[in-house]
Amino acid sequence: MIILPIVLSIGLLLYSISIFLYLYRILKGPTTSDKVVALDSIGMNLVAIVALLSMLLDTSAYLDVILLIALLAFIGTVSFAKFIEKGKVIERERDN
Amino acid sequence: MDSTADSSHFIYFIFLTFIPQTMQGVVTETMPWIPSLGINFTVVVDGLSLLFALLITGIGSLVTFYSIFYLGKKKERLNNFYAFLFVFMTAMLGVVLSDNLVVLYLFWELTSISSFLLIGYWYHRERSRYGARKSLLITVFGGLMLLGGILLLHVITGSFSLHEIIGEATVVQASSLFIPAMILILLGAFTKSAQVPFHVWLPDAMEAPTPVSAYLHSATMVKAGLYLVARFTPLFAVSGVWFWTISLVGIVTLFWGSITATKKQDLKAILAYSTISQLGMIMTLLGVGAAALHFDSWSDDIYIGALVAAVFHLFNHATFKGSLFMMVGIVDHETGTRDIKRLGGLMRIMPVTATIAFIGTFAMAGLPPFNGFLSKEMFFQSMVDVTTLNLFNADTWGILLPVVAWVGSIFTFVYSMIIFFKTFGGKLKPHLLPKKPHEAPFGLLLPPIILAVLVVVTGVFPNLIAKPLLEPAVKSIMPSLYGTDYHVHISFWHGFTMALMMTFGVIILGILLYKTANWWRPFIKEKVPRFFQWGKAYDNSMYYMEQGSYRFTLWIMTGWLRTYLNYMLMAFIILMLGTIFATDALNFDMSAISRVTMMDYVLSLVIAVTLVGVVFSKSRITSIILLGAMGYTISIFFIVARAPDLALTQLVIETISVVLYLLVFYHLPQFSNIEEKPKWLSVKTLISFGVGLVVFLISLSAYDTNFYDSISQYYIDNTYTKAAGKNIVNVILVDFRGFDTLFETVVLAIASIGIFGMIKLRLARREKNENK
């Protein structure tokens, strides 16, 4: 079982490199949409990283976190998308 | 006290009944106030207190009588006047009768406040308000100094009781706080008694109604400082500092006051400076009299004579100055002016007033047969005696005292003549007078007549008051005299002494100077003020203090939060770095540090990159996205550090914050469009680097500084057994340390209610709508 930590570490390293590349996109990305997609992808990478980490740490305590990141990344991206489209995140009801 | 039953409505007579007792010793009465702090309202009546109390109540009664006729019944707010006056009278009695220093200070400030109210009695006049404010500022400054002195004495002796402190005089004199306490108490006395340079308030206090000037600013309040000096003589008089400070300040005040009085035109201003000068004279006598403490036996010692002269002149001055002020009030009342240029020739029209003025002014000038003559003789005698004193270098520098005193007395004679002859002598100038002059009504004349009679009677028969009043007072100042067969005896004629020669000189030179007044007065009036004016100095210092604090406030309170943040962070850096280096707290011991994994490096690098991005990004949305990325990375740190609950919460909160940023984003202004290159060496960068460095140093040093073991083992052992939970974080939050959670919840509730309120409650907008 010596091979598993090594493989996991390699995986973590790859994901980290991937996060750096996304960060580059966030800093550089010509439009806001580029940046938001990069942030969403970082979220997905984090899901993977947390999964790898919980294998590495040999615990099931982080499975909630994985779900949560996926959920939040979705919510965040949707809000950003709405913001980019309408300039607002939450619209007012019509009768007000 | 059965004997007072009949006269118990008239406080003056009550005090008269104390005379037999004070001739023997002291009368003490205590009313507990704050016994646990040693603060009780203790009344001690001895000779000195009684002399003052009789002056206060006696002249107070006369002044009250005088005010009844002086102040118009319809035009004036008499209820205010008498309320202020009687508050003052009570306070003044409290000052002279209290044995407890805190109570004394309390009454002292009450005299300042009631004096302030009385000076500003005609508050619609600008000058009255100015005078009131000036006198309050100066006397309260002195009062606070006095409080400091009292507290120092309390520190030394542990007591607030005057007599107990004087009883421990040797302890006080040995203390290192002896001189500071003395200086502070003297500052209080000098400001109250209008000694140079604190005399500037007294001439401006002449804006008060004349009865007030007569009472407060000649007879009583300005003597509170003298009372204090006399009171503390047994305590402080061993010191040469006391002797020289009081004598020199007194003599300078005497000189300056008498010179300045000659150049004034307003009668009340002349009297104000004359009061300053006479107070200086009494102060000098008290200073010289302090030397008496250094001689064991009274029989061959002449310095007690100075104390007798001080107490005697204090009494005399109260009588003749009171009558003079009342006389000026009458002149003002009957002619409508106090300007000596417009007055003159009133002798025929107002003979009674003129007689009063004659007695008063020449008692002040020191002519026989009035009481001023005797005290001035004794004053000269003491000044001459000082030169023979073999203490405190008085035999070398002491010669200054009689010379200056003599010159000052010449000018005293001159202004006394000015007061009398310019007002009552010469020709009447009816076209210059606002009113047609006529003699005053009897009610106005009676109080000054009584005082003038006193002046003559005590002048001719000084021993009438010498034994019952002056002797106990001198014994109170020199407690060592109690029990000895020392007696005060004032002889009207004591041979051709040096003092008598000096008086002749004063009279001759005074008449000469008066005759040539037209020639030298312009010099004092115009040339001298060009160099220096105390009043100007006060005004300028007030102006510059106000301007200075205004400028300082403008400079330091910019109204920009970033400036205040700079101040706070700079203070943080300086204090922290100072503490670290002062306590040698730097600690770079790395032995207990855990192994740093590859993962830690990578995560730190991610955070560093996002941080640099946040600082240098040009648009807000990039900053927000990067902040979100940083928050997510931190949650990964939590995972690596095995904190799942923290990671969960951090993720949710980070997302919500980002969404909130986006919510308000629409309303936010853009970053300034100017391409601003960050300066590497601006104050801001220096401060932020400093803060980072300090926090870094502190956490690094604190990391390995463990004084005790962690208490976490208890939680690990008992989470399940005692609290029925397996999640240790949650059990701590809701069970072991549930109180914190409760109030964190409250914080959240308050925040949400606050946000709701801020959004919904738009009072300004609603008002605008209603106005429409």
Side-chain angles (χ1 to χ4, degrees):
Chain A
M1 287 301 281
I2 197 109
I3 194 139
L4 186 60
I6 296 170
V7 173
L8 290 176
S9 302
I10 293 170
L12 279 175
L13 189 69
L14 290 175
Y15 276 117
S16 306
I17 293 166
S18 143
I19 283 183
F20 275 108
L21 294 176
Y22 286 129
L23 271 179
Y24 174 77
R25 189 42 54 200
I26 290 180
L27 288 170
K28 269 290 160 190
T31 68
T32 310
S33 308
D34 291 313
K35 298 176 183 183
V36 173
V37 171
L39 185 70
D40 190 47
S41 310
I42 288 182
M44 288 310 118
N45 275 17
L46 287 181
V47 168
I49 285 179
V50 174
L52 291 180
L53 272 176
S54 58
M55 286 174 80
L56 200 61
L57 298 171
D58 197 17
T59 169
S60 64
Y62 299 113
L63 299 185
D64 298 344
V65 180
I66 295 172
L67 277 174
L68 195 73
I69 296 176
L71 211 63
L72 292 178
F74 175 71
I75 294 173
T77 314
V78 167
S79 352
F80 266 115
K82 210 171 169 191
F83 175 78
I84 292 166
E85 192 173 309
K86 299 193 172 173
K88 288 178 184 177
V89 181
I90 300 172
E91 286 166 83
R92 294 189 172 213
E93 288 172 37
R94 272 193 208 131
D95 13 336
N96 282 0
Chain B
M1 269 169 270
D2 302 325
S3 58
T4 62
D6 317 331
S7 55
S8 59
H9 297 294
F10 204 50
I11 193 166
Y12 177 69
F13 292 121
I14 301 179
F15 279 114
L16 278 183
T17 62
F18 278 95
I19 289 178
Q21 287 160 300
T22 54
M23 284 170 76
Q24 306 303 321
V26 297
V27 184
T28 312
E29 197 75 43
T30 299
M31 195 179 81
W33 181 24
I34 316 174
S36 56
L37 296 177
I39 299 172
N40 295 310
F41 183 41
T42 305
V43 170
V44 169
V45 185
D46 59 3
L48 189 66
S49 303
L50 190 68
L51 176 68
F52 271 93
L54 285 174
L55 285 179
I56 292 160
T57 51
I59 296 181
S61 315
L62 294 177
V63 161
T64 311
F65 189 79
Y66 180 81
S67 326
I68 294 173
F69 293 90
Y70 186 82
L71 293 172
K73 287 192 179 54
K74 299 230 171 88
K75 273 189 278 177
E76 306 287 350
R77 293 160 295 113
L78 290 178
N79 45 352
N80 287 13
F81 181 80
Y82 288 110
F84 298 159
L85 192 70
F86 293 142
V87 165
F88 169 78
M89 204 182 288
T90 314
M92 199 63 212
L93 279 177
V95 167
V96 297
L97 294 175
S98 301
D99 176 59
N100 194 288
L101 288 175
V102 174
V103 179
L104 187 148
Y105 169 71
L106 213 76
F107 283 120
W108 183 276
E109 292 298 34
L110 203 54
T111 63
S112 297
I113 291 166
S114 50
S115 163
F116 168 77
L117 291 170
L118 283 166
I119 296 168
Y121 175 65
W122 288 312
Y123 55 74
H124 46 86
R125 293 188 192 166
E126 207 274 328
R127 293 295 306 173
S128 296
R129 298 198 300 271
Y130 171 78
R133 192 174 64 229
K134 194 174 187 178
S135 75
L136 189 75
L137 274 177
I138 294 178
T139 51
V140 166
F141 161 75
L144 287 173
M145 296 298 119
L146 172 67
L147 181 64
I150 289 170
L151 293 178
L152 285 187
L153 286 180
H154 181 69
V155 168
I156 301 170
T157 61
S159 169
F160 280 124
S161 161
L162 193 55
H163 284 77
E164 279 174 33
I165 289 174
I166 289 174
E168 291 185 55
T170 44
V171 179
V172 179
Q173 283 147 16
S175 164
S176 59
L177 295 174
F178 177 67
I179 295 288
M182 180 204 294
I183 299 292
L184 288 177
I185 285 175
L186 278 184
L187 273 176
F190 288 164
T191 49
K192 200 73 158 182
S193 278
Q195 302 293 302
V196 170
F198 305 112
H199 66 285
V200 287
W201 65 269
L202 189 60
D204 285 303
M206 292 300 132
E207 295 299 323
T210 304
V212 172
S213 309
Y215 188 41
L216 274 69
H217 307 123
S218 68
T220 52
M221 187 179 91
V222 287
K223 297 213 166 78
L226 299 174
Y227 170 78
L228 206 65
V229 169
R231 234 339 143 213
F232 279 103
T233 295
L235 188 64
F236 290 122
V238 287
S239 161
V241 180
W242 177 266
F243 173 87
W244 277 116
T245 314
I246 296 179
S247 307
L248 287 183
V249 169
I251 206 87
V252 169
T253 309
L254 162 70
F255 183 73
W256 188 265
S258 60
I259 291 262
T260 316
T262 56
K263 76 177 190 191
K264 293 289 169 188
Q265 282 191 25
D266 182 8
L267 280 175
K268 274 178 100 173
I270 301 179
L271 286 182
Y273 277 103
S274 128
T275 302
I276 291 169
S277 157
Q278 305 274 320
L279 292 170
M281 170 176 160
I282 303 173
M283 196 62 95
T284 314
L285 283 169
L286 286 173
V288 172
L293 204 80
H294 289 269
F295 300 96
D296 290 333
S297 75
W298 55 268
S299 52
D300 58 344
D301 132 29
I302 41 189
Y303 304 104
I304 289 178
L307 290 179
V308 178
V311 175
F312 191 34
H313 195 71
L314 194 138
F315 177 86
N316 294 344
H317 177 249
T319 52
F320 66 68
K321 195 50 72 64
S323 74
L324 280 177
F325 267 107
M326 291 181 189
M327 179 276 291
V328 169
I330 291 171
V331 169
D332 192 12
H333 211 260
E334 303 307 329
T335 64
T337 183
R338 301 191 306 247
D339 192 336
I340 54 171
K341 282 222 167 137
R342 295 164 143 208
L343 292 167
L346 291 176
M347 195 153 1
R348 297 237 173 82
I349 299 165
M350 307 170 77
V352 186
T353 318
T355 314
I356 298 164
F358 181 79
I359 295 170
T361 43
F362 289 101
M364 182 158 72
L367 284 194
F370 310 122
N371 55 14
F373 168 69
L374 297 173
S375 41
K376 183 141 287 183
E377 288 288 281
M378 293 159 81
F379 171 59
F380 284 147
Q381 190 59 48
S382 315
M383 291 301 113
V384 174
D385 290 341
V386 170
T387 49
T388 65
L389 180 67
N390 54 354
L391 269 177
F392 317 130
N393 304 326
D395 40 356
T396 48
W397 290 100
I399 188 72
L400 276 176
L401 290 179
V403 173
V404 179
W406 189 64
V407 177
S409 297
I410 293 171
F411 282 99
T412 305
F413 195 85
V414 173
Y415 72 69
S416 300
M417 290 181 76
I418 290 176
I419 291 177
F420 183 73
F421 288 112
K422 294 275 181 193
T423 312
F424 296 99
K427 276 186 202 150
L428 189 63
K429 300 166 210 164
H431 54 287
L432 286 176
L433 297 178
K435 280 188 191 171
K436 193 172 169 358
H438 55 79
E439 184 57 281
F442 180 69
L444 272 181
L445 288 173
L446 184 65
I449 286 175
I450 295 175
L451 286 174
V453 167
L454 257 177
V455 169
V456 178
V457 169
T458 52
V460 180
F461 306 107
N463 290 311
L464 277 182
I465 62 161
K467 191 158 169 58
L469 285 180
L470 304 185
E471 191 181 309
V474 172
K475 283 186 178 175
S476 322
I477 303 176
M478 283 287 130
S480 57
L481 289 178
Y482 277 121
T484 62
D485 55 347
Y486 171 77
H487 292 298
V488 169
H489 185 80
I490 302 168
S491 54
F492 194 80
W493 174 256
H494 33 77
F496 285 99
T497 55
M498 179 74 179
L500 192 65
M501 297 299 130
M502 284 167 85
T503 303
F504 280 132
V506 164
I507 294 170
I508 292 163
L509 279 174
I511 291 173
L512 274 177
L513 276 176
Y514 177 70
K515 289 289 173 199
T516 56
N518 288 338
W519 174 72
W520 56 264
R521 261 181 87 209
F523 175 75
I524 295 183
K525 217 164 171 175
E526 283 148 26
K527 293 272 165 58
V528 177
R530 221 174 274 170
F531 297 110
F532 192 70
Q533 275 174 302
W534 292 105
K536 246 298 164 37
Y538 166 84
D539 288 337
N540 281 343
S541 68
M542 293 308 287
Y543 174 77
Y544 286 117
M545 264 195 274
E546 202 180 302
Q547 279 294 311
S549 55
Y550 175 69
R551 298 258 169 83
F552 182 72
T553 314
L554 271 193
W555 175 60
I556 204 156
M557 305 279 284
T558 56
W560 286 322
L561 284 178
R562 60 167 183 254
T563 324
Y564 305 145
L565 206 59
N566 280 354
Y567 298 154
M568 285 192 273
L569 294 177
M570 273 196 280
F572 171 78
I573 295 170
I574 292 166
L575 288 177
M576 283 302 168
L577 276 185
T579 315
I580 286 174
F581 286 111
T583 57
D584 198 20
L586 277 184
N587 178 9
F588 293 120
D589 186 6
M590 292 294 142
S591 57
I593 211 157
S594 36
R595 204 171 55 83
V596 186
T597 62
M598 195 62 199
M599 197 67 201
D600 297 321
Y601 284 120
V602 174
L603 285 174
S604 307
L605 195 63
V606 173
I607 286 181
V609 170
T610 50
L611 189 64
V612 172
V614 167
V615 174
F616 289 95
S617 83
K618 297 244 161 39
S619 84
R620 275 212 172 97
I621 198 146
T622 315
S623 294
I624 291 168
I625 292 171
L626 281 169
L627 275 177
M630 193 195 290
Y632 277 26
T633 321
I634 287 172
S635 72
I636 301 302
F637 251 123
F638 287 143
I639 288 167
V640 175
R642 294 178 177 82
D645 292 301
L646 281 182
L648 280 173
T649 319
Q650 166 72 21
L651 282 167
V652 177
I653 295 300
E654 196 57 48
T655 314
I656 292 174
S657 321
V658 171
V659 173
L660 279 179
Y661 277 128
L662 291 175
L663 263 177
V664 297
F665 198 83
Y666 184 75
H667 304 282
L668 290 179
Q670 279 293 323
F671 271 151
S672 59
N673 292 326
I674 308 151
E675 289 273 324
E676 195 185 343
K677 284 201 174 165
K679 277 176 280 177
W680 279 102
L681 264 177
S682 71
V683 179
K684 273 185 247 173
T685 49
L686 273 180
I687 288 176
S688 42
F689 273 112
V691 171
L693 180 74
V694 168
V695 173
F696 172 73
L697 286 178
I698 290 173
S699 16
L700 204 63
S701 303
Y703 175 73
D704 201 43
T705 314
N706 287 327
F707 295 107
Y708 304 102
D709 293 334
S710 169
I711 57 165
S712 56
Q713 194 57 45
Y714 172 83
Y715 295 117
I716 295 167
D717 292 343
N718 294 303
T719 302
Y720 188 66
T721 51
K722 289 197 172 161
K726 287 183 178 168
N727 187 329
I728 188 167
V729 175
N730 291 357
V731 168
I732 289 176
L733 282 179
V734 300
D735 194 313
F736 290 122
R737 306 278 305 268
F739 269 124
D740 295 348
T741 315
L742 175 65
F743 290 108
E744 293 294 338
T745 319
V746 172
V747 167
L748 287 179
I750 291 173
S752 49
I753 293 171
I755 291 167
F756 183 77
M758 283 196 291
I759 292 173
K760 285 289 174 189
L761 193 68
R762 301 275 174 93
L763 285 178
R765 189 179 290 175
R766 192 189 296 166
E767 263 169 35
K768 215 184 268 174
N769 289 341
E770 278 168 6
N771 288 346
K772 278 175 192 168

